[in-house]
Amino acid sequence: MGRHSGGIGIALVTVATLVGVSACGGGGSDKASGNGSDAKASGKAAASASPKPTKPAGPPMLLETITPQTGTTVGVAMPVSVIFTDPVAEKARAAVEKHLKVSASQPVAGAWHWMGDKRADWRPKTYWPAHTTVKIDADMKGVSNGNGRYGVHGYTHTFKIGDDVRADVSVTGHTMKVTRDGSPVRTLSINAGSPEYPTWNGTMAVIDKQEKVHMTSCSVGISCDKGSANYYDLTLPWDVHLTQSGTYVHYSTGDPNPGSGSARGSHGCVHLSMSDAKWFYGQVKQGDPVTITGSSRAKAPADNGYADFNLAWDQWLAGSASGEQTTATL
């Protein structure tokens, strides 16, 4: 299914702005972006033998968002995601990464990775340990973005990793196995995408969840023709958001009893029964990994939401300017 718009942006440096179509259709990722200020900050040196330092010339470099939001509890697959208002030049990225310090109560190895020139994500090499406290200090004061802008603010976010909740979806087996801290909780019956509209494979960290979402086939480019068999315009409940391009785990009125018996394909989402969808909605949080296997489709691109763990570690490091590092200890 699909709706008109999606994403989780709220305010400056709160939660990431992941704006795009949002359910059961669509293709690749939609890159988040923002508009920076054009106001210039300037200063004049004092006329003396020992002039005072001047402020950097040029407009400010600002951060659009930092995710996760301060004070939140997230899942083990949640990256730290920083979005800049303006492009950061490749030559400046190592210096910028140096000023984006990640600390944790349980130190882990990890690295930054640039998703284009405005978004940088930091993820651990493997999932975060459950119940870890994480802090990101973005000391951007005086830091150049390599394109004539300089940071004027420092930002700090502190969040926690909660229970290790994971969902493993088998498209061919029509099942979703949910575990908590390594122990099985429930196995649910599901239907995933059809051969025409297959579900993304791979691991996608939950972006957000909503009790109701308005989904339309037109918004995700499937069909705007009301006479088409693939046309839909529905408001559906218990929606767990997996990708910007429109993948959800949810209940569908068109597939009320999913499982191998019905074997009815979706337009790319994962369907649960009403009771199972409500139960699953209550179990998961932002950053919990949902791993889908058995689909004919490729893995979701890493920037299609928070699918960071779809990149192997060597691929992740290839997009880093400063390489692997170990978090400082809180």
PDB file of all heavy atoms in Angstrom, residues 4 8 35 43 51 75 117 193 203-204 218 235 243 250 259 267 271-272 319 321:
ATOM      1  N   HIS A   4       0.404   9.461   0.832  1.00  0.00           N
ATOM      2  CA  HIS A   4       0.880  10.639   0.117  1.00  0.00           C
ATOM      3  C   HIS A   4       2.270  11.063   0.519  1.00  0.00           C
ATOM      4  O   HIS A   4       3.046  11.506  -0.299  1.00  0.00           O
ATOM      5  CB  HIS A   4      -0.096  11.802   0.331  1.00  0.00           C
ATOM      6  CG  HIS A   4      -1.414  11.567  -0.343  1.00  0.00           C
ATOM      7  ND1 HIS A   4      -1.526  11.508  -1.708  1.00  0.00           N
ATOM      8  CD2 HIS A   4      -2.654  11.349   0.157  1.00  0.00           C
ATOM      9  CE1 HIS A   4      -2.802  11.291  -2.039  1.00  0.00           C
ATOM     10  NE2 HIS A   4      -3.493  11.185  -0.914  1.00  0.00           N
ATOM     11  N   ILE A   8      10.045  11.299   9.179  1.00  0.00           N
ATOM     12  CA  ILE A   8       9.938  11.480  10.606  1.00  0.00           C
ATOM     13  C   ILE A   8      10.557  12.782  11.044  1.00  0.00           C
ATOM     14  O   ILE A   8      10.975  12.927  12.173  1.00  0.00           O
ATOM     15  CB  ILE A   8      10.569  10.286  11.337  1.00  0.00           C
ATOM     16  CG1 ILE A   8      12.000  10.024  10.838  1.00  0.00           C
ATOM     17  CG2 ILE A   8       9.741   9.048  11.167  1.00  0.00           C
ATOM     18  CD1 ILE A   8      12.710   8.922  11.577  1.00  0.00           C
ATOM     19  N   ASN A  35      17.259  23.203   3.331  1.00  0.00           N
ATOM     20  CA  ASN A  35      17.756  24.465   2.809  1.00  0.00           C
ATOM     21  C   ASN A  35      18.459  25.228   3.906  1.00  0.00           C
ATOM     22  O   ASN A  35      17.895  25.500   4.946  1.00  0.00           O
ATOM     23  CB  ASN A  35      16.591  25.311   2.272  1.00  0.00           C
ATOM     24  CG  ASN A  35      15.955  24.653   1.079  1.00  0.00           C
ATOM     25  OD1 ASN A  35      16.663  24.116   0.237  1.00  0.00           O
ATOM     26  ND2 ASN A  35      14.638  24.651   1.011  1.00  0.00           N
ATOM     27  N   GLY A  43      33.725  39.135  10.274  1.00  0.00           N
ATOM     28  CA  GLY A  43      34.373  39.882  11.333  1.00  0.00           C
ATOM     29  C   GLY A  43      35.595  40.582  10.807  1.00  0.00           C
ATOM     30  O   GLY A  43      36.126  40.237   9.755  1.00  0.00           O
ATOM     31  N   PRO A  51      46.778  40.942  15.960  1.00  0.00           N
ATOM     32  CA  PRO A  51      45.340  41.031  15.705  1.00  0.00           C
ATOM     33  C   PRO A  51      44.593  39.883  16.362  1.00  0.00           C
ATOM     34  O   PRO A  51      45.098  38.770  16.490  1.00  0.00           O
ATOM     35  CB  PRO A  51      45.246  40.952  14.175  1.00  0.00           C
ATOM     36  CG  PRO A  51      46.485  40.238  13.763  1.00  0.00           C
ATOM     37  CD  PRO A  51      47.542  40.673  14.732  1.00  0.00           C
ATOM     38  N   GLY A  75      16.254   0.799  18.999  1.00  0.00           N
ATOM     39  CA  GLY A  75      16.665  -0.575  18.816  1.00  0.00           C
ATOM     40  C   GLY A  75      18.129  -0.735  18.475  1.00  0.00           C
ATOM     41  O   GLY A  75      18.854   0.235  18.192  1.00  0.00           O
ATOM     42  N   ASP A 117      26.135  13.824  -0.146  1.00  0.00           N
ATOM     43  CA  ASP A 117      26.958  14.889   0.416  1.00  0.00           C
ATOM     44  C   ASP A 117      26.290  15.658   1.556  1.00  0.00           C
ATOM     45  O   ASP A 117      26.850  16.637   2.057  1.00  0.00           O
ATOM     46  CB  ASP A 117      27.391  15.873  -0.678  1.00  0.00           C
ATOM     47  CG  ASP A 117      26.230  16.474  -1.461  1.00  0.00           C
ATOM     48  OD1 ASP A 117      25.067  16.314  -1.037  1.00  0.00           O
ATOM     49  OD2 ASP A 117      26.486  17.101  -2.509  1.00  0.00           O
ATOM     50  N   GLY A 193       5.298  -9.263  -0.634  1.00  0.00           N
ATOM     51  CA  GLY A 193       5.015  -8.760  -1.969  1.00  0.00           C
ATOM     52  C   GLY A 193       4.738  -9.840  -2.995  1.00  0.00           C
ATOM     53  O   GLY A 193       5.161 -10.992  -2.863  1.00  0.00           O
ATOM     54  N   THR A 203      17.942  -6.102   5.814  1.00  0.00           N
ATOM     55  CA  THR A 203      17.617  -5.616   7.154  1.00  0.00           C
ATOM     56  C   THR A 203      17.289  -4.135   7.111  1.00  0.00           C
ATOM     57  O   THR A 203      18.076  -3.330   6.618  1.00  0.00           O
ATOM     58  CB  THR A 203      18.791  -5.856   8.121  1.00  0.00           C
ATOM     59  OG1 THR A 203      19.014  -7.267   8.249  1.00  0.00           O
ATOM     60  CG2 THR A 203      18.502  -5.264   9.494  1.00  0.00           C
ATOM     61  N   MET A 204      16.129  -3.796   7.630  1.00  0.00           N
ATOM     62  CA  MET A 204      15.674  -2.416   7.695  1.00  0.00           C
ATOM     63  C   MET A 204      15.339  -2.088   9.144  1.00  0.00           C
ATOM     64  O   MET A 204      14.513  -2.775   9.753  1.00  0.00           O
ATOM     65  CB  MET A 204      14.445  -2.214   6.800  1.00  0.00           C
ATOM     66  CG  MET A 204      14.770  -2.319   5.311  1.00  0.00           C
ATOM     67  SD  MET A 204      13.468  -3.101   4.322  1.00  0.00           S
ATOM     68  CE  MET A 204      13.879  -4.843   4.545  1.00  0.00           C
ATOM     69  N   CYS A 218      -1.630   5.635  -6.034  1.00  0.00           N
ATOM     70  CA  CYS A 218      -1.151   6.728  -6.885  1.00  0.00           C
ATOM     71  C   CYS A 218       0.108   7.358  -6.308  1.00  0.00           C
ATOM     72  O   CYS A 218       1.025   7.738  -7.040  1.00  0.00           O
ATOM     73  CB  CYS A 218      -2.250   7.773  -7.051  1.00  0.00           C
ATOM     74  SG  CYS A 218      -1.934   8.985  -8.359  1.00  0.00           S
ATOM     75  N   THR A 235      -7.200   3.824   4.405  1.00  0.00           N
ATOM     76  CA  THR A 235      -6.563   4.159   5.674  1.00  0.00           C
ATOM     77  C   THR A 235      -6.523   2.883   6.497  1.00  0.00           C
ATOM     78  O   THR A 235      -7.573   2.315   6.828  1.00  0.00           O
ATOM     79  CB  THR A 235      -7.332   5.265   6.418  1.00  0.00           C
ATOM     80  OG1 THR A 235      -7.310   6.457   5.620  1.00  0.00           O
ATOM     81  CG2 THR A 235      -6.675   5.567   7.763  1.00  0.00           C
ATOM     82  N   THR A 243      10.803   1.584   5.144  1.00  0.00           N
ATOM     83  CA  THR A 243      11.603   2.280   4.135  1.00  0.00           C
ATOM     84  C   THR A 243      10.930   3.569   3.703  1.00  0.00           C
ATOM     85  O   THR A 243       9.704   3.698   3.765  1.00  0.00           O
ATOM     86  CB  THR A 243      11.833   1.433   2.865  1.00  0.00           C
ATOM     87  OG1 THR A 243      10.600   1.289   2.149  1.00  0.00           O
ATOM     88  CG2 THR A 243      12.418   0.069   3.176  1.00  0.00           C
ATOM     89  N   HIS A 250       1.995  -4.132   8.359  1.00  0.00           N
ATOM     90  CA  HIS A 250       0.700  -3.595   8.772  1.00  0.00           C
ATOM     91  C   HIS A 250      -0.432  -4.576   8.473  1.00  0.00           C
ATOM     92  O   HIS A 250      -0.213  -5.625   7.854  1.00  0.00           O
ATOM     93  CB  HIS A 250       0.428  -2.251   8.067  1.00  0.00           C
ATOM     94  CG  HIS A 250       0.183  -2.379   6.592  1.00  0.00           C
ATOM     95  ND1 HIS A 250      -0.968  -1.943   5.987  1.00  0.00           N
ATOM     96  CD2 HIS A 250       0.947  -2.903   5.594  1.00  0.00           C
ATOM     97  CE1 HIS A 250      -0.899  -2.174   4.678  1.00  0.00           C
ATOM     98  NE2 HIS A 250       0.250  -2.752   4.424  1.00  0.00           N
ATOM     99  N   GLY A 259      -0.983 -15.670   5.256  1.00  0.00           N
ATOM    100  CA  GLY A 259      -0.306 -16.925   5.567  1.00  0.00           C
ATOM    101  C   GLY A 259      -0.206 -17.775   4.330  1.00  0.00           C
ATOM    102  O   GLY A 259      -0.680 -17.400   3.250  1.00  0.00           O
ATOM    103  N   HIS A 267       1.551  -5.244  -2.310  1.00  0.00           N
ATOM    104  CA  HIS A 267       2.265  -4.375  -3.245  1.00  0.00           C
ATOM    105  C   HIS A 267       3.654  -4.045  -2.724  1.00  0.00           C
ATOM    106  O   HIS A 267       4.251  -3.046  -3.103  1.00  0.00           O
ATOM    107  CB  HIS A 267       1.464  -3.088  -3.481  1.00  0.00           C
ATOM    108  CG  HIS A 267       0.234  -3.300  -4.306  1.00  0.00           C
ATOM    109  ND1 HIS A 267      -0.998  -3.559  -3.737  1.00  0.00           N
ATOM    110  CD2 HIS A 267       0.041  -3.309  -5.650  1.00  0.00           C
ATOM    111  CE1 HIS A 267      -1.895  -3.709  -4.695  1.00  0.00           C
ATOM    112  NE2 HIS A 267      -1.297  -3.561  -5.864  1.00  0.00           N
ATOM    113  N   HIS A 271       2.118  -8.078   5.296  1.00  0.00           N
ATOM    114  CA  HIS A 271       0.775  -8.082   5.891  1.00  0.00           C
ATOM    115  C   HIS A 271       0.700  -9.029   7.076  1.00  0.00           C
ATOM    116  O   HIS A 271       1.194 -10.166   7.017  1.00  0.00           O
ATOM    117  CB  HIS A 271      -0.263  -8.516   4.859  1.00  0.00           C
ATOM    118  CG  HIS A 271      -0.521  -7.510   3.794  1.00  0.00           C
ATOM    119  ND1 HIS A 271      -1.265  -7.783   2.660  1.00  0.00           N
ATOM    120  CD2 HIS A 271      -0.154  -6.201   3.693  1.00  0.00           C
ATOM    121  CE1 HIS A 271      -1.335  -6.698   1.907  1.00  0.00           C
ATOM    122  NE2 HIS A 271      -0.657  -5.733   2.503  1.00  0.00           N
ATOM    123  N   LEU A 272       0.048  -8.546   8.136  1.00  0.00           N
ATOM    124  CA  LEU A 272      -0.275  -9.361   9.302  1.00  0.00           C
ATOM    125  C   LEU A 272      -1.783  -9.334   9.508  1.00  0.00           C
ATOM    126  O   LEU A 272      -2.462  -8.432   9.010  1.00  0.00           O
ATOM    127  CB  LEU A 272       0.406  -8.803  10.551  1.00  0.00           C
ATOM    128  CG  LEU A 272       1.935  -8.831  10.609  1.00  0.00           C
ATOM    129  CD1 LEU A 272       2.426  -8.017  11.802  1.00  0.00           C
ATOM    130  CD2 LEU A 272       2.449 -10.259  10.697  1.00  0.00           C
ATOM    131  N   GLY A 319      32.787   4.185   2.394  1.00  0.00           N
ATOM    132  CA  GLY A 319      32.119   5.481   2.387  1.00  0.00           C
ATOM    133  C   GLY A 319      32.481   6.368   3.563  1.00  0.00           C
ATOM    134  O   GLY A 319      31.826   7.373   3.817  1.00  0.00           O
ATOM    135  N   ALA A 321      35.387   8.729   5.645  1.00  0.00           N
ATOM    136  CA  ALA A 321      36.605   9.514   5.430  1.00  0.00           C
ATOM    137  C   ALA A 321      37.668   9.240   6.482  1.00  0.00           C
ATOM    138  O   ALA A 321      38.846   9.491   6.249  1.00  0.00           O
ATOM    139  CB  ALA A 321      36.266  11.004   5.414  1.00  0.00           C
TER     140      ALA A 321
END
